[in-house]
Amino acid sequence: MQSLKLLAAVALAALVHFAGVRLWPDFARATDVFLVVVALHGLGGSSLSALLVGMLVGLLQDTLTSVPFGLFGFADTIIGYVTARLAQRLVIQRPTGVLALVSFASALQQAIVLGLAFVLLPSPEPPSPIWTAVRAASCGLLGMAVYVAGGSWRRSAEARRRGRMSKLRLD
């Protein structure tokens, strides 16, 4: 069940990415929906799972964007591992904690991509600090919104399940 949810989240991220880039050409500079999927999966706390999901989602992002293949694959692998380790060490249950974690993950991803670009590419173009801040803020807000929506959906599903169970006990 967990892998189906993850697959649906990755597919939804790809659809949002395609629609966003189609509607606004700077969408990919302003937000990274794939990073949000990796960071929120990392909140589960499983380092190996987050590492593998980061690698696969990053490689998918490399395939769908025009960056050299492997930059986001490597960066998202590290992001998945780091967010899982932070989730193991810290109690992140509030939406503001998720906002801070995903914003930090976005800034860290940009630093990793920039470092790799300087090592691997002949003349890399560093991103604007303004776009980096915008991306960190938008990813953090998107991650917080998804976290809150998922939490309310889980609570309502649990309430429906309890309601069905109480009806079964009364009969």
Side-chain angles (χ1 to χ4, degrees), residues 56 130 160:
L56 294 174
I130 294 172
R160 286 191 305 271

Side-chain angles (χ1 to χ4, degrees), residues 72-158:
F72 284 110
F74 188 77
D76 284 353
T77 301
I78 294 172
I79 295 302
Y81 182 75
V82 166
T83 55
R85 294 298 287 178
L86 284 173
Q88 291 170 4
R89 304 272 188 250
L90 304 171
V91 178
I92 302 172
Q93 295 179 341
R94 294 188 178 171
T96 53
V98 174
L99 170 75
L101 180 78
V102 177
S103 296
F104 169 73
S106 176
L108 181 62
Q109 181 202 43
Q110 289 300 298
I112 293 168
V113 167
L114 183 62
L116 286 172
F118 275 119
V119 170
L120 299 174
L121 300 176
S123 59
E125 182 180 321
S128 165
I130 294 172
W131 279 111
T132 302
V134 166
R135 184 178 227 180
S138 68
C139 286
L141 290 171
L142 179 63
M144 183 177 70
V146 169
Y147 181 79
V148 168
S152 84
W153 183 81
R154 278 190 296 277
R155 283 189 297 276
S156 67
E158 182 64 25

Side-chain angles (χ1 to χ4, degrees), residues 50-69:
L51 188 106
L52 293 174
V53 167
M55 179 187 66
L56 294 174
V57 171
L59 290 175
L60 174 67
Q61 184 177 6
D62 286 333
T63 303
L64 298 176
T65 59
S66 62
V67 298
F69 195 72

